[in-house]
Amino acid sequence: MNSLKSKAANGVIWSGIDKSSTMLIQFIFGIILARLLLPEDFGLVGMITIFITISQAIVESGFSRALIQKKDANQIDYSTTFFFNFLISIVVYAILYFTAPFIANFYNEPILIDLVKVVGLNVIISSAAIVHRTILIKQINFKTQAIVNIIAGLTGVAVGISCALSGLGVWSLVLQYLSRNFMTSLLFWVMNSWKPSLVFSIEALKQLFDFGSKILATTLLYAAFQNIYLVVIGKIYKSEELGYYTRATLFKQIPATLVTTIIQNVSFPILVDVIDDNEQVKKVMRRSVKLTAFLLFPMIIVLIVFAHPLVLILLTEKWLPTVILLQILTIGVIFFPINAINTNLLNARGRSDLFLKLEIINNTITILTLAATYQFGMTIIAIGYVCVSCIGFFTYTYYSGKHIGYSGIKQIVDMMPYIFASVLSVVISYFIWSYVDSRGVFLVGGVVTSVIGYIICSYLFKFKEYEDIKNRIQSKLRKT
């Protein structure tokens, strides 16, 4: 168990380095491009996001999770998955290629024909490295992933900015996306010693697909309904307004995606290892929820409170309508990482069928809410998103409460100290700097003071997560 804890701790650190670095790269890149490009450029990319996301989900087919969940996965399993994913990617790209005119006609945007055909190439590019990434996750080896993602992210930034400065407009976003993913796949092949064998087992495919098919169905539902907002807004409103929404979505997803990826990638293989011991499972779940709350809530509160100066300074006044959307949507992502932890429990126990049922329930609620709000404007749509998120939390935590005695209410109780510390530190910081006229000084001073205040609160309240992270960093520094 100590070895497992050590792996988990190292996994959290390297996954944190990976995601924080790549998020920072994408964040800075997004700011630069937002200044160079127009809101409608981002809106055009947002229109085709759902099609690319669904295509990638089909190619992966849930096999990544199936391989992680299968403790005795061997070379035949890995090779079979590799060839299956690659073949499916070619089929999926062909479908995207020939349906591109219909997609463009749906939105009445002719340029989408070429955009879909070019962006769709990523489906094939990404399929080549799915197994390589899965093996590293299974090994809890996030150091290699961090190196790969950072190098690939910087490559994409260089290409995207160069294209934007050359006046390529929306194509800057497309070429940045393709170059980053091409470099990611290339580096996974170079830095991971695994290579596919010339074998393909129908039996292995059936075993993996039995679990993976439910994950696939769930992922497709999730991808479709999470991006349904982009489809509805892109169809009914102007591409410019969709651009505002996509920028708000990008900002609000940064803290949630960062924390979710770190905790989910590390906790899932650990849950698989201890899944037969309910007491250990509950301990892993509680530690995951608390660590998530410790990392997430200060970022969430800072983003909500300082959204106005953040958007004005980083994106300029042409993006001002993004502010209110960002503040509302950020509230909606509070439970996103917690939901991911609870679905990890289902997947670790092989209950992908329950995962699928939960997605159907929550996506039905999403559709009903969107149908009731879409005609009243962007702000009301965003409020509906928050309501869906709150309801979804209690459906995702139902299984945890029933089977390991860790209900949604108990999870909220575990999160409350971190919520209190975050609100306290950020609100005090806001009032300290609210008398300053300079937006830049107000933003930087407010964020820095909030971080310092949260660290002080963590020390005074004796948060175990703070002590663990501090000790781990100090240990790494001493070794270095």
Side-chain angles (χ1 to χ4, degrees):
M1 188 65 188
N2 288 332
S3 174
L4 196 61
K5 287 178 66 177
S6 178
K7 280 186 176 182
N10 286 324
V12 169
I13 290 175
W14 276 109
S15 189
I17 293 173
D18 175 12
K19 295 308 169 185
S20 59
S21 299
T22 51
M23 281 278 187
L24 180 62
I25 292 170
Q26 293 175 15
F27 180 69
I28 295 174
F29 169 75
I31 292 171
I32 296 172
L33 280 193
R35 288 173 167 270
L36 295 174
L37 304 178
L38 299 173
E40 47 262 42
D41 292 327
F42 292 91
L44 289 171
V45 174
M47 290 176 181
I48 62 176
T49 297
I50 186 171
F51 303 102
I52 304 303
T53 303
I54 289 176
S55 298
Q56 289 178 322
I58 293 173
V59 170
E60 200 274 332
S61 301
F63 279 22
S64 179
R65 288 282 172 182
L67 286 171
I68 296 173
Q69 195 268 345
K70 188 176 181 180
K71 294 183 180 181
D72 58 346
N74 54 36
Q75 180 68 4
I76 294 176
D77 295 318
Y78 293 132
S79 298
T80 299
T81 298
F82 173 81
F83 289 116
F84 178 78
N85 288 340
F86 189 72
L87 291 172
I88 291 297
S89 72
I90 296 175
V91 174
V92 169
Y93 176 70
I95 294 172
L96 280 174
Y97 186 92
F98 289 110
T99 57
F102 300 100
I103 295 173
N105 184 60
F106 175 78
Y107 288 112
N108 196 27
E109 292 284 356
I111 192 176
L112 292 183
I113 297 176
D114 293 330
L115 287 180
V116 171
K117 290 178 179 180
V118 176
V119 174
L121 290 171
N122 181 69
V123 173
I124 298 175
I125 294 171
S126 298
S127 71
I130 291 174
V131 174
H132 294 76
R133 186 190 298 273
T134 301
I135 291 173
L136 293 175
I137 294 175
K138 196 175 177 73
Q139 295 171 346
I140 318 183
N141 179 0
F142 292 95
K143 180 178 180 179
T144 300
Q145 294 183 69
I147 295 171
V148 168
N149 290 329
I150 291 171
I151 295 174
L154 291 172
T155 301
V157 166
V159 171
I161 293 177
S162 299
C163 292
L165 292 174
S166 300
L168 294 182
V170 67
W171 289 102
S172 306
L173 299 170
V174 172
L175 295 176
Q176 175 268 336
Y177 179 64
L178 284 176
S179 60
R180 184 192 69 198
N181 287 298
F182 175 79
M183 184 59 68
T184 299
S185 294
L186 177 64
L187 290 176
F188 270 127
W189 273 80
V190 172
M191 301 185 69
N192 189 334
S193 59
W194 182 83
K195 297 295 182 292
S197 301
L198 293 176
V199 294
F200 190 91
S201 171
I202 298 298
E203 183 62 31
L205 186 68
K206 288 179 178 178
Q207 289 179 2
L208 293 170
F209 194 71
D210 183 55
F211 178 86
S213 61
K214 299 181 182 67
I215 297 295
L216 170 61
T218 304
T219 304
L220 288 176
L221 282 172
Y222 179 81
F225 287 94
Q226 281 296 307
N227 289 287
I228 195 66
Y229 286 91
L230 301 182
V231 175
V232 172
I233 294 171
K235 178 65 177 176
I236 297 176
Y237 298 93
K238 297 178 181 178
S239 59
E240 180 181 2
E241 292 181 278
L242 180 58
Y244 297 137
Y245 186 88
T246 58
R247 286 298 87 189
T249 300
L250 175 66
F251 272 82
K252 62 94 173 173
Q253 281 180 338
I254 289 175
T257 303
L258 174 62
V259 174
T260 301
T261 308
I262 294 172
I263 305 302
Q264 188 175 35
N265 284 347
V266 175
S267 67
F268 183 61
I270 294 172
L271 281 171
V272 171
D273 284 339
V274 301
I275 199 63
D276 296 325
D277 186 339
N278 273 356
E279 195 59 36
Q280 288 296 333
V281 169
K282 185 174 181 179
K283 286 182 179 179
V284 172
M285 289 285 291
R286 288 198 69 192
R287 289 298 301 274
S288 298
V289 168
K290 289 184 175 183
L291 181 58
T292 296
F294 174 78
L295 296 173
L296 178 66
F297 283 112
M299 292 188 285
I300 289 289
I301 304 303
V302 163
L303 196 54
I304 293 172
V305 173
F306 294 99
H308 190 270
L310 182 71
V311 170
L312 286 180
I313 292 173
L314 298 183
L315 304 182
T316 71
E317 291 190 1
K318 66 182 178 182
W319 290 96
L320 192 59
T322 301
V323 173
I324 184 65
L325 295 176
L326 173 59
Q327 290 173 320
I328 296 172
L329 292 174
T330 301
I331 299 173
V333 302
I334 288 177
F335 292 121
F336 179 73
I338 307 299
N339 293 346
I341 294 170
N342 285 277
T343 55
N344 266 353
L345 175 60
L346 297 178
N347 290 332
R349 286 195 161 162
R351 296 306 307 271
S352 52
D353 57 322
L354 289 178
F355 188 13
L356 177 58
K357 290 178 181 178
L358 287 176
E359 281 299 303
I360 292 173
I361 293 172
N362 285 292
N363 290 330
T364 301
I365 296 172
T366 298
I367 287 295
L368 293 175
T369 304
L370 185 57
T373 59
Y374 79 91
Q375 57 185 323
F376 298 108
M378 304 289 286
T379 302
I380 301 301
I381 291 175
I383 292 173
Y385 175 86
V386 174
C387 295
V388 171
S389 176
C390 293
I391 296 171
F393 169 75
F394 288 100
T395 60
Y396 277 109
T397 56
Y398 172 78
Y399 182 88
S400 299
K402 182 178 179 181
H403 292 273
I404 63 171
Y406 194 38
S407 65
I409 298 298
K410 290 181 179 179
Q411 293 182 36
I412 291 176
V413 170
D414 277 344
M415 291 187 283
M416 286 306 297
Y418 310 99
I419 297 175
F420 176 76
S422 300
V423 173
L424 179 65
S425 57
V426 176
V427 169
I428 290 177
S429 176
Y430 178 85
F431 283 109
I432 290 175
W433 293 93
S434 61
Y435 301 100
V436 177
D437 293 331
S438 171
R439 290 173 182 161
V441 174
F442 170 64
L443 177 61
V444 175
V447 172
V448 171
T449 307
S450 297
V451 172
I452 295 173
Y454 188 68
I455 292 174
I456 294 173
C457 287
S458 300
Y459 173 78
L460 294 176
F461 298 158
K462 301 185 184 303
F463 290 156
K464 190 176 187 305
E465 294 70 28
Y466 166 74
E467 293 296 330
D468 287 345
I469 293 174
K470 183 186 72 173
N471 292 337
R472 180 64 60 170
I473 292 174
Q474 289 176 343
S475 175
K476 289 289 183 183
L477 291 175
R478 284 195 296 268
K479 288 180 181 180
T480 302

